[in-house]
Structures are given as C-alpha cells and as structure tokens.
Amino acid sequence: MYALMVSQRPNHTLIEVELDHLEHPYGSVSLLECEQVSRKLNEELERISPDLNYTLKVSSAGAERKLVIPEDLDRFRGIPVRLVFKAEGSGDKEGIFKILDRKEDRIFLEPFSKRKAKGSKKKEVILELKDILKGNLYVSI
C-alpha cells in the first residue's frame, strides 16, 4: 500500500487506497491487482462493518507519483525524476534528473535529456536533501 485516505462525510465514508508494487522498477500496479485488492477490501469491510455506507477507490500510485524523500531517492536510482529544490540566491528551481547515488544527506544527480549526446559528459549535480522541496517520478514519452 502506498497511501490510504479516509474522508468522513455526513452518512458516508470515502476510502481511497493507492497501491505500490515494491518489486517493479517504477512501482507499477496492474488493473487486475487493483481489482483484486478492491474485492478483498470490500469483503473485509462488509464483514467488519456491514452497515457502513462507504465508497472505496483503489488505484495505482501512478507513473508520476510523488516521491517520499529520502527513501524513494534510493529506490528509484537511475530513473528520471522531477525535483523542485532551493537554489542559493535564485529561489526555487525545478529540473529533471537521473538519480546517480545518495550518500547520507547528499544526492548525486545527472541532468536528464531525451536526446543522447554523443561523446559529451553530462555535468553532475549535487544537492543537499534539506534543499529538495518535492519530487515526482518523470515519465519520458
């Protein structure tokens, strides 16, 4: 499970579940897996509280899921991510990077480009974890 949100409304409860596949490189969950989890949760909710008026939504965390920092920086090493970070003297910046490595409170990144630059070495970017404001996986189509 990636996330669970429960919203109580008058005479109705909304239960939203986002799934994550820990063994898949991108965490992708199939529609069949979402259906199986939804059926099992419905069965359990009916057994535990048959009078509960609820709506259950089960979905994948998504291809451009929000990153949990710092854990996902290790998990998604080598995969493009979009990061928003504090940059000295210029406010917040945003960029797309491939995660190369993380050592303690520093993350080593390579700027991501769809084009393959022949013979040119990309400049490595080093950020402090405290400077990363948010991040998402980035899908390059």
Side-chain angles (χ1 to χ4, degrees), residues 55-70:
T55 300
L56 175 64
K57 293 181 179 183
V58 178
S59 63
S60 171
E64 292 192 342
R65 72 179 60 215
K66 181 179 177 183
L67 297 176
V68 176
I69 296 174

Side-chain angles (χ1 to χ4, degrees), residues 103-121:
K103 292 183 180 160
E104 297 176 16
D105 290 339
R106 297 172 72 189
I107 181 163
F108 300 84
L109 306 162
E110 176 182 279
F112 177 75
S113 174
K114 291 181 187 179
R115 292 188 220 125
K116 301 278 185 195
K118 293 182 183 176
S120 66
K121 184 164 171 28

